[in-house]
DNA sequence: AATAGTTTGTTCGCCGTAGGAAGAAAGTGT
DNA sequence: ACACTTTCTTCCTACGGCGAACAAACTATT
C-alpha cells in the first residue's frame, strides 16, 4: 500500500468524526446489502437521530437506494435501504509478462468494463490512459486502483519483476496515484488472490488463511488477522525458497522447492511418463494418468508428499488454519486432496483445513476490489501502545 | 487475549472520543517520557485548547508530573511534563513446571514487587491472592495481568501445558479477569518474550520480527505488523515441528526438528563429546569445545546448518526481516553467529538480520508489561471493510 | 532597563453535533 | 375503531472541539 502523507490530525476532530460515521454506515450497508435504518443503529451504534440526516445524504449521493417497506410482523414496517454497488468503482490492473489487462468493477466485483492490450513500454502512462477511458463519466465513483504484478512488491514499488519490464524499485504506485488522484495499491498477484479468496471466496469465513499457488513457480499469499501480511521486505509467502531438501538447489531467482515441485517441473515428468503429449494442465493429467499407470501413481505420491511438507512447514510457522490450493494445485481430484489433507493432519501441530480455492481467474480481481476499497478507507490511526 | 463483550457503541460517541483523546495523550507521554504541552499538540494532533483541561486532569490523576521549565533558546520556556510510570502497574505471572512467579512492574518494566512460590494446585486462586497482596494500596493503578505459560495458548485457555497441571481448555484467563476486574492476557512464554524484545529489546526499532527460542524444545514467537501473531489455533511459531528432514520423526508432543536440535538434544551430543561432564549450557560448551576438538567443530557446523535452515524456512513464509536468538541459541559466540548469518543470507529470499536477543530472563516480564498495557487499551473498533 | 520579539500555555466563546425525548407514521391484532 | 408496537423524524439541549484573543515567560536588542 502506498502511504499517503498524513498530516497530524486529531483522532477525534469534527471532520474525522463525520468521516468515520459515514464510513461505518457505508461499510455496514456494503456487507448487509439491504437493510433498514433500525438495523443500522444496531450495526453502527449510532443513534437514530444521528442517522437520519446521514442516510439522507448518502441517498442523495447515490450510495443508498430507498426501496419499499420490508416485511414486518407488527409495528411500522422498516423502510429498506439497498446498497448501490455502482457507487464505488475500482480499477484492477493486472500486469502479465506480455500484456496488461485492466478491469473496472463495482464493489461486488462485477466487471463493468475491461480491456486488454499488449504491454506498452510506459506502464504508468498506459494505466493512466486506460482507467479514465474505461470508467467514463462515472469517474467520481472511482475509489481506488489495485495493480497486480508478478514478483515481490513492497511499499508501492515492484521488485523482481523483470518479466514485465519493471525496473527495480520503480515507484509505479506513487506515479499512478498522483496522476489519477485516487489511492493505488500495488502487490503481487498471489497476495491479491489470497485477499480475493478471503473477501469473496473460500476464505470469507475465516480471518487467517494461506493460499498456495502453484504455477511456473510456487508462491503463497498470507492472510493473518484479516489482512495480507507482506513481511518486512515483502517476501512473505516466497515458499518456493523453502529448503526442505538439503540437496535441492535453486538457481537465479528460482527457489529450491519450486525448482522441483512447480507446475513446470511436474510437467516435465509428466511428459516423460507419457511421451509425445504436451500437457496443458500437468497436475490434472498426472492425476488422470495415475489411475492406470503405477509409475505415475508413485510420482503423484511424491508430489503430494512434497506439497504436504510445504504446507506443514507453513503451519508450523504461522498456523493459518486453512490452506487454499490455487493454480495447478487446484487440479487435484477429491481423492488426491483427501490424501494431501491426511498427510498434513498427520504432521501439522495444529488442525488445518486444505481446500481448493474457488475463484480461479477471478481471484485477483476480487482481491483488487477488496484492496482498493480498503485503501479508500483512511485508516483509523492506531493508538501507539507499549513501553518505550 | 480474552475478549471482553463489547456493547455496540458508536465509534464517535462522546465517551469514546474522550477516552481516545486521553489514551492518545497517555500513549504519547509514555513513549516520550518527558515532554511539553507543545509537543503533545504535535504528537496527538489535539489543539492546545483541548489539551489544557485534559492535561490538568491527568496531572490530578497522577499520570503526569509537572516538572520545571525546560530549556528554550527564545520565547516562553516549555513547562515539561513527565510521565509517571508508577501510574500504571501490571502483574506478570510466569508459570513454570514446578513453581509460579509473580512480579509487579510499572510501565517501564521496573519490578516493584515480586514473589515466587511452589505451584499450588489451584492456579487461579494463587494468582488472585498474590497479585493484590503484592500491589498493596496501589491496586487502583493495576492495569492488567499477563500470564505466561509453557505450551500453546489461544483465547485465554492454555493447551498442551500438562507440565504445570493445566487442563486443556481451562479458561484460566477468564477466571482471573472476573475475580480481579482487570484485563488478563494469557500466552505462552515464547510469544511474550518476542513481545518483550519488540517493546524494549533488540526489536524495538522494527515492526516485524521472529524470536527463536531454543531450550528443551524449539519454539518461535512471531511479531508481524507490530503485534504478536498467534495463528488460527495459537500454534504459530511451533517451529519445532518443521519437517526439514523427511527421516526425522517426532514423538508424543515433540516435533521432528526439536527432537534433534533442541538444547536437550545438543546436550546429549556434547556429553558424548566430552564424557563425564554434565553441561549446564550445552551450546556455550559446544562453542568452547569446538575451538580445540575437530569433532565438536564439525558438530557445531551441523547445528548451525540446521538452525539456518529453520530460520530460512521462517523467512520464506513470513519474511520477518529480523531474527532474534534466545535461550541456548543466544549462547553462540560472535564467530558462530556470523557463520549462521552467512548461511541464512545465502539461502533466504529476503534480507534477514540475525541477532541475539538482549533481554534474557527479563524478556517475558517486558512482554507481559507490553501485553497488559495493550490489553488495557480498549481497541478502536476496526471499520469493517471488504466486499461481501 | 525598557522594549520588542518569540514561543508557550490559558481562557473565552462560537458553532456543530450527539443523542435524549417527544411525536408522527405506518403497520398489526382485537 | 381502538389499542399497541415498532420505526423513523423533528426538536431541543447540553457538551465539547477548536479558532482566536490573551496572558505568561523568557531572550535579544537598543
Amino acid at each position: 500500500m502506498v502511504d499517503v502523507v498524513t498530516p497530524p490530525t486529531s483522532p477525534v476532530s469534527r471532520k474525522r468524526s463525520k468521516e468515520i460515521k459515514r464510513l461505518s454506515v457505508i461499510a455496514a450497508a456494503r456487507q448487509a446489502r439491504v437493510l433498514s435504518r433500525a438495523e443500522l443503529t444496531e450495526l453502527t451504534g449510532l443513534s437514530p437521530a444521528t442517522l437520519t440526516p446521514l442516510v439522507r445524504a448518502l441517498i442523495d449521493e447515490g450510495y443508498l437506494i430507498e426501496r419499499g417497506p420490508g416485511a414486518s410482523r407488527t409495528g411500522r414496517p422498516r423502510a429498506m435501504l439497498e446498497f448501490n454497488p455502482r457507487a464505488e468503482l475500482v480499477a484492477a490492473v493486472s500486469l502479465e509478462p506480455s500484456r496488461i489487462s485492466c478491469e473496472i468493477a463495482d464493489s461486488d466485483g462485477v466487471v463493468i468494463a475491461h480491456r486488454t492490450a499488449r504491454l506498452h513500454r510506459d506502464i504508468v502512462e498506459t494505466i493512466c490512459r486506460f482507467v479514465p477511458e474505461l470508467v467514463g463519466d462515472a469517474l467520481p465513483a472511482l475509489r481506488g486502483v489495485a495493480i497486480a504484478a508478478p514478483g515481490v512488491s513492497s511499499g508501492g514499488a515492484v521488485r523482481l519483476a523483470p518479466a514485465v519490464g519493471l525496473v527495480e524499485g520503480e515507484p509505479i504506485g506513487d506515479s499512478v496515484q498522483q496522476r489519477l488522484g485516487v489511492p493505488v495499491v500495488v502487490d503481487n498477484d498471489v497476495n491479491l488472490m489470497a485477499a480475493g479468496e478471503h473477501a469473496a471466496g473460500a476464505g470469507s469465513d475465516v480471518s487467517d488463511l494461506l493460499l498456495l499457488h502453484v504455477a511456473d513457480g510456487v508462491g503463497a499469499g498470507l492472510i493473518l488477522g484479516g489482512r495480507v501480511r507482506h513481511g518486512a521486505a515483502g517476501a512473505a509467502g516466497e515458499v518456493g525458497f523453502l529448503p526442505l531438501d538439503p540437496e535441492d538447489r535453486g538457481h537465479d531467482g528460482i527457489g529450491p522447492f519450486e525448482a522441483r515441485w512447480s507446475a513446470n517441473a511436474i510437467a516435465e515428468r509428466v511428459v516423460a511418463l507419457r511421451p509425445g503429449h504436451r500437457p496443458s494442465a500437468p497436475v490434472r493429467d498426472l492425476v488422470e494418468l495415475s489411475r492406470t499407470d503405477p509409475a505415475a501413481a508413485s510420482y503423484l505420491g511424491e508430489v503430494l508428499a512434497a506439497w504436504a511438507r510445504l504446507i506443514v512447514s507453513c503451519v508450523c510457522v504461522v498456523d493459518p488454519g486453512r490452506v487454499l490450493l490455487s493454480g495447478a494445485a487446484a487440479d487435484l481430484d477429491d481423492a488426491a486432496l483427501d490424501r494431501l489433507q491426511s498427510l498434513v493432519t498427520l504432521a501439522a501441530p495444529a488442525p488445518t483445513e486444505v481446500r481448493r480455492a474457488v475463484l480461479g481467474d477471478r481471484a485477483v480481481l476480487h482481491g483488487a476490489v477488496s484492496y482498493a476499497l480498503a485503501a479508500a478507507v483512511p485508516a483509523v490511526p492506531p493508538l501507539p501502545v507499549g513501553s518505550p
Side-chain angles (χ1 to χ4, degrees), chain A:
Chain A
M1 151 137 31
V2 181
D3 274 339
V4 185
V5 180
T6 58
T9 175
S10 162
V12 287
S13 71
R14 293 248 197 282
K15 246 176 256 176
R16 272 203 69 79
S17 288
K18 220 168 177 176
E19 212 174 326
I20 291 175
K21 284 189 301 179
R22 248 183 73 95
L23 291 169
S24 296
V25 172
I26 291 174
R30 184 159 52 213
Q31 287 199 320
R33 302 310 310 272
V34 53
L35 76 180
S36 71
R37 290 170 176 77
E39 287 169 86
L40 274 178
T41 43
E42 288 170 23
L43 289 172
T44 64
L46 299 168
S47 73
T50 309
L51 274 170
T52 293
L54 186 52
V55 166
R56 185 150 34 212
L58 289 176
I59 289 177
D60 287 347
E61 291 176 51
Y63 259 106
L64 298 175
I65 301 171
E66 186 125 36
R67 297 292 181 204
S72 85
R73 308 202 175 287
T74 170
R76 173 174 175 176
R78 309 179 155 189
M80 303 312 279
L81 301 166
E82 189 182 337
F83 177 72
N84 178 11
R86 296 298 173 97
E88 294 176 314
L89 301 182
V90 299
V93 178
S94 182
L95 302 178
E96 291 162 43
S98 62
R99 56 185 201 143
I100 179 174
S101 89
C102 178
E103 294 174 299
I104 309 297
D106 66 20
S107 50
D108 283 345
V110 174
V111 176
I112 293 174
H114 65 100
R115 178 160 170 195
T116 303
R118 293 183 59 86
L119 199 55
H120 190 270
R121 195 160 336 132
D122 192 340
I123 297 174
V124 172
E125 174 64 31
T126 309
I127 294 174
C128 293
R129 223 185 42 244
F130 272 26
V131 171
E133 243 177 66
L134 288 172
V135 176
D137 55 0
L139 196 59
L142 187 67
R143 287 291 173 275
V145 177
I147 303 176
V152 181
S153 74
S154 73
V158 175
R159 297 187 300 120
L160 294 186
V164 295
L166 287 179
V167 184
E168 168 142 351
E170 191 181 350
I172 165 175
D174 288 342
S175 309
V176 176
Q177 176 154 348
Q178 282 193 352
R179 290 192 39 190
L180 290 183
V182 294
V184 174
V185 292
V186 182
D187 209 335
N188 76 37
D189 43 2
V190 179
N191 283 341
L192 282 169
M193 285 181 209
E197 294 285 347
H198 173 55
S204 55
D205 54 332
V206 292
S207 64
D208 301 80
L209 69 85
L210 184 131
L211 178 131
L212 180 63
H213 186 72
V214 178
D216 296 355
V218 176
L222 184 62
I223 297 206
L224 289 179
R227 292 180 51 96
V228 174
R229 297 291 160 188
H230 297 93
E238 285 290 324
V239 291
F241 283 78
L242 273 173
L244 295 186
D245 283 293
E247 62 273 15
D248 282 358
R249 288 270 170 274
H251 42 277
D252 42 54
I254 309 289
F257 186 91
E258 60 195 356
R260 240 181 113 184
W261 305 110
S262 70
N264 279 359
I266 294 172
E268 285 180 24
R269 283 288 297 262
V270 170
V271 170
L273 285 167
R274 193 207 286 187
H277 176 72
R278 184 75 209 164
S280 60
V283 172
R284 197 192 316 266
D285 293 349
L286 176 60
V287 168
E288 182 74 28
L289 217 53
S290 71
R291 298 206 178 97
T292 56
D293 181 347
S298 154
Y299 178 58
L300 176 59
E302 287 179 49
V303 171
L304 293 178
W307 287 355
R309 286 179 66 210
L310 174 74
I311 293 173
V312 169
S313 300
C314 295
V315 172
C316 291
V317 180
V318 295
D319 179 22
R322 181 172 298 173
V323 174
L324 300 179
L325 303 179
S326 163
D331 289 341
L332 292 179
D333 65 351
D334 289 348
L337 189 57
D338 283 352
R339 284 174 62 193
L340 185 58
Q341 172 78 67
S342 309
L343 289 171
V344 169
T345 302
L346 208 62
T352 305
E353 232 181 334
V354 181
R355 294 194 189 181
R356 293 191 196 87
V358 298
L359 296 179
D361 288 342
R362 298 171 45 78
V364 172
L365 173 65
H366 275 97
V369 170
S370 124
Y371 258 52
L373 290 180
V377 176
V380 176
L383 297 174
V385 163
S387 36

